[in-house]
Amino acid sequence: MAPKFAPLKDAPERSAASDGGRFALDRALLDALADLALQAARRAGASYADIRLGETLKETAYAKDDRLEQFDERSTRGFGLRVLLDGSWGFYGARRLDAASVAEGVERALENARAVRPIQGRPIALEELPAHEAEWIMPMGVDPFSISTREKADLLLAISAAARDNGADFCTALLCIAREERLFASTFGARIRQTRTRVQPTFTATAIDRAAGRMASRDSLTPARGAGWEYVTGAGLLEEAALAGRQAREKLSARPVVAGDYDLILDPTNLWLTIHETVGHSTELDRVLGWEANFAGTSFVKPAMLGNLRFGSELMTIVADRSQPGALSTIGYDDDGAPASSAEFKIVEKGVFKNFQMALGQAHYIGLPGSNGCAYADSPTSFPIQRMPNISLAPNPDTCKLDDLASGVENGIYVVGAGSWSIDQQRDNFQFGGQLFYEIKNGEIGDMLRDVAYQSRTIPFWNSLDGLGDASTYHLDGTFTCGKAEPVQVAPVSHGAPLARFRNVRVLNTSGGV
Amino acid sequence: MFLSSDDVKSIAKKIIAGSNADACVVKIDGGEDYSLRFARGGATTNIATSETTVRVSSHIGGRVGSVTTASIDETALAAARARSEEIARMLPVDPDYVAPLGPQEYDASARYDDNAASLKLDTLAAQAGRVIEEGARRNVDTFGCASSTRRFEALATSNGLFAYERRSEIDLSATARNKSDTWSGWAGAHEFFGARLDAETIAARACAKAAYNVDPVDLEPGDYAVILEPVAVAELAFWVMMAMDARAADEGRSFFARPGGGALIGEKLFDEKFTIRVDPADPLAPEGGVGWEGVPHRARAFIDRGAASTLYRSRSWARKTDAEPVPAARNFIVEGGETSLDDLIRSVKRGVLVTRIWYENMVEPKSLLLTGLTRDGNFLIENGRVTAPVRNMRFNQRLGELFANIAALGKTERVWRAVGGGAAAAPPMLAEKFHFSSKSSGI
């Protein structure tokens, strides 16, 4: 029997909700459906059951050049019931919210648990989580769903026009808005209601040199956030689009990089993705256990490395949290019902690997007491799996700016924005591009370069970190769409980072020697 | 929820009857999905889900607003219709607006198995069980996923179009790793008809590829002759297919753009041996009859003996450029030859046999420069024989150059795709000078 989960400090019963904060679904209906499911599962002999009920609202608007090509609203309501019967999971989800569907769901989930029993092998074992009854509403200013369709359409067309008026031949602009409202209930006694909202305004400006048959593009550097409409209006998108148009045009005539080894200064707008792929995914315990071996892969990190792997230099401290304001993984409780406070930990401390990310039912495999709050299901009808909280590189406590980092570089490149990305299935060999590249010569940041991609291996790369920006250089980036699991689930996650300097990294010229 | 053609028609009819828009389009899809995963010889997670979604698009004064709901309750559908009209009225006019299609003739596509019982979780568990048993017999650890679905898709317009298609899909993929965790193998299959899935063969292939307890050979990065197994060829061809958008070519944003303007239609860009076809009637990898926007899929080549013969084109771009609309395809066939994989191997003096590739991403769309890695079964070929496992490597390869230098093709076969990802058929392919840019320690 797994040891009990250590009691942890609760998240607040109710966050300081502001305009737009709400839990809009019919509480009485959801409670009744949760009771129906959990009681029926218990009566049928399930040793554990949990259920997620709720709704996801999404709005997607897409413009290309002078044309609004798409404006969609999407609402999906449903439930997903997970039962543990004789050591086997059974799951059933449906996009319906009524008593008959939930009652059928209990039978189907139990049937599925029986169906997999012949191949169960080692029975599923769970630690017990403390029971929380709580409500958490993400604080935000203005509900983005309350903003008129026309205002959103006009914003996208204005972004596109700003880029095209400033040198871009083409511009696509995209606005995605999502809200998740969930009731989570479990036979441990949890009953948690949560609402969170996220926004993603983005664009790509493209410039063409038809005669030379070349093109260059510059993606928006404005990140997705867990926020309301005030974030979209305050992000300076029109100014950024105008700048992006000019930079896309400038990229066409920029000097091609000469392939070789360079010192790199990575802007947080680039580094977040490197953190995500090399640290975020490599320290997921389900990968380490082999549960993702057939798809997302395993990891070069092993349980025996806990506490002793020199992951990076002394400057490297990677923090997990579910509390950064505006971050995409910020929430009161994870999808197993573990509170946000359990997800406040260091993955790497001063270069040494300290913690895996874990969901319910994983920790005992490596002799640890319990989950650290890293579960997420991308819809009520998805099986919850281990997913990242916010994972960020802590800034330098001492003053250090871009010029300070550049001053120590003889021959380097300053990389801004995320581009093409790829990493092996154990999260070791990687290759990343970017949006903007600037030569650094003898301590000075100079001309724009093009056709840059950097390639390295996770441990040597992080051990080459020898300069770190301070908090004033810290920036929170992230994505709506981190993919994992079979069938694929898509999770939102944020990563913060300061400026960072890495020594002797291999750089490719993507138009020549690759 | 899996709905019949009559059920769907009745739902669509009601929505369209209540429409206050100039035109109304209703897209309804849904079905049932099953999936289970296993790791280290035992079950981990499983799901069974049921869903229906209804998308109502209202066309008012050259503007289109869309709302999707997961409910087929009449009140919810009426609300979705009303909201889609409200959205349309608030949008700016689309300068390239096209009205919805009227009735179309669609080619038949055989992608549905009436024996839905063959798709349920107990069937998937039995297939996973065969992989687990074979792993135990070969003394390797096994991991994998078995999934199935039966789904329908329907499209109705106020201009008189109604189309309904259904498909069943099943897939099994298995990864095997040796006990010292230093080598891995993989095999998988995807079929529209459950009875065609051969779990025994998948289990045997994945476990045999993994059953090596020797240190893999460490090759230096560089150019190598490679034999890409069919699943890797299909994956690379998919990237070519994705790049075949007429608008991107016309605007100078793609590999298929002609310098100075226009698209490279009819130009010989690849080797004579390279052909990619789409065909609803194909016995191996049939495309559906109904394409995006309701435009019919027809039997056609996108790449025909090395030349780009068709690019896909939305209805609005087709009208703007006075060309035929062509729907993008998800199901495709890469034509092969008659050579067996063993004969291809026998023809190689020194090269690498690649089982599958992973985490590809386009680095430069204009040159189709793709990066990615080999995974789960790289082998050294010397003097016509597979002699040893080879450590994985990263490639940076221009697909134009790869498919312009095909030395030989084997026989086309149906390959694995994840359920929902479409079907593909491809041959094994021998190509020279495949560019590996760095080593990977990933197993």
Side-chain angles (χ1 to χ4, degrees), chain A residues 67 69 72-73 75 89 93 95 150 213 277 292-295 421-422 424 426 428-429 431 506 510, chain B residues 46 48 51 55 66 68 83 90 94 173 175 247 359 361 366 375 394 396 437-441 443:
Chain A
R67 188 179 170 218
E69 293 198 358
D72 277 9
E73 278 185 9
S75 149
W89 283 122
R95 290 194 177 171
R150 186 61 190 236
E277 300 290 3
E292 287 287 335
N294 190 58
F295 175 59
W421 72 100
S422 172
D424 76 31
Q426 289 195 309
D428 176 30
N429 173 306
Q431 181 175 310
R506 185 182 176 208
T510 57
Chain B
N46 62 79
E51 62 160 2
R55 182 176 192 243
S66 299
T68 302
R83 175 64 183 146
M90 287 192 283
D94 177 357
S173 58
T175 300
R247 185 175 182 177
Y359 221 128
N361 221 323
K366 281 285 287 182
R375 178 175 175 179
R394 169 173 300 285
N396 276 270
S437 58
S438 60
K439 300 178 191 180
S440 159
S441 68
I443 301 294

Side-chain angles (χ1 to χ4, degrees), chain B residues 203-241:
Chain B
R205 288 179 66 191
C207 294
K209 284 196 172 194
Y212 283 82
N213 285 307
V214 295
D215 284 339
V217 173
D218 217 1
L219 290 181
E220 288 305 309
D223 290 349
Y224 287 85
V226 289
I227 294 175
L228 301 167
E229 290 207 9
V231 72
V233 173
E235 189 74 10
L236 295 170
F238 175 70
W239 284 95
V240 175
M241 286 287 283

Side-chain angles (χ1 to χ4, degrees), chain A residues 59 64-77 88-96 108-109 111-113 115-122 124 145 147-151 153-154 157 170 206 208 210-215 276-277 281 286-300 302 381-385 419-431 451-453 455 457 484-487 506 508-514, chain B residues 1 34-53 55 63-71 83 87 89-97 120-122 124-126 128-129 132 143-145 147 173-175 177 181 184 186 247 249-254 258-262 314 316 320 356 358-367 369 371-376 392 394-398 416 435 437-443:
Chain A
E59 209 173 73
K64 182 173 188 306
D65 303 338
D66 61 348
R67 188 179 170 218
L68 190 90
E69 293 198 358
Q70 182 193 353
F71 199 105
D72 277 9
E73 278 185 9
R74 170 179 283 257
S75 149
T76 50
R77 293 183 172 197
S88 291
W89 283 122
F91 182 92
Y92 183 77
R95 290 194 177 171
R96 298 186 288 278
R108 298 288 302 278
E111 179 189 316
N112 292 338
V116 302
R117 194 180 298 157
I119 61 159
Q120 183 54 56
R122 183 175 176 173
I124 302 290
F145 289 95
I147 301 302
S148 80
T149 300
R150 186 61 190 236
E151 186 173 337
D154 286 348
L157 292 169
F170 308 105
T206 302
I208 301 287
R210 283 192 187 275
R214 295 190 52 244
M215 65 175 274
H276 175 86
E277 300 290 3
H281 280 306
D286 60 345
R287 293 180 68 110
V288 174
L289 296 172
W291 296 2
E292 287 287 335
N294 190 58
F295 175 59
T298 57
S299 176
F300 72 89
K302 309 296 178 198
T381 57
S382 297
F383 193 103
I385 56 169
S420 177
W421 72 100
S422 172
I423 189 162
D424 76 31
Q425 71 275 17
Q426 289 195 309
R427 302 280 146 178
D428 176 30
N429 173 306
F430 63 77
Q431 181 175 310
D451 304 329
V452 175
Q455 201 181 80
R457 296 180 58 187
K484 189 178 168 184
E486 295 171 291
R506 185 182 176 208
L508 314 175
N509 176 312
T510 57
S511 64
V514 292
Chain B
M1 197 183 302
Y34 302 89
S35 181
L36 70 84
R37 296 203 290 171
F38 56 97
R40 296 202 191 283
T44 53
T45 62
N46 62 79
I47 61 156
T49 59
S50 164
E51 62 160 2
T52 309
T53 59
R55 182 176 192 243
R63 300 161 298 178
V64 183
S66 299
V67 171
T68 302
T69 175
S71 174
R83 175 64 183 146
I87 290 170
R89 287 192 187 96
M90 287 192 283
L91 292 174
V93 172
D94 177 357
D96 297 329
Y97 170 79
K120 287 203 169 179
L121 220 52
D122 49 0
L124 301 182
I132 292 166
F143 312 78
C145 181
S147 302
S173 58
T175 300
R177 300 173 74 85
D181 210 32
S184 62
W186 177 92
R247 185 175 182 177
D250 292 342
E251 292 180 342
R253 295 183 289 114
S254 109
R258 186 187 300 279
S314 69
S316 65
K320 199 165 182 159
R356 70 166 174 153
W358 162 250
Y359 221 128
E360 313 95 87
N361 221 323
M362 197 56 76
V363 179
E364 288 289 343
K366 281 285 287 182
S367 63
L369 174 65
T371 193
L373 298 117
T374 62
R375 178 175 175 179
D376 299 327
N392 287 307
R394 169 173 300 285
F395 61 85
N396 276 270
Q397 176 65 49
R398 289 185 178 81
W416 175 84
H435 186 69
S437 58
S438 60
K439 300 178 191 180
S440 159
S441 68
I443 301 294

Side-chain angles (χ1 to χ4, degrees), chain A residues 180-232:
Chain A
E180 296 175 12
E181 292 191 88
R182 298 281 185 274
L183 169 67
F184 171 81
S186 77
T187 53
F188 289 156
R191 181 102 8 167
I192 299 161
R193 291 180 196 85
Q194 299 191 98
T195 298
R196 60 172 167 172
T197 302
R198 54 185 178 266
V199 292
Q200 180 189 35
T202 189
F203 63 82
T204 299
T206 302
I208 301 287
D209 179 343
R210 283 192 187 275
R214 295 190 52 244
M215 65 175 274
S217 61
R218 202 285 229 169
D219 294 349
S220 171
L221 305 179
T222 301
R225 286 278 169 86
W229 190 248
E230 72 286 351
Y231 171 70
V232 178

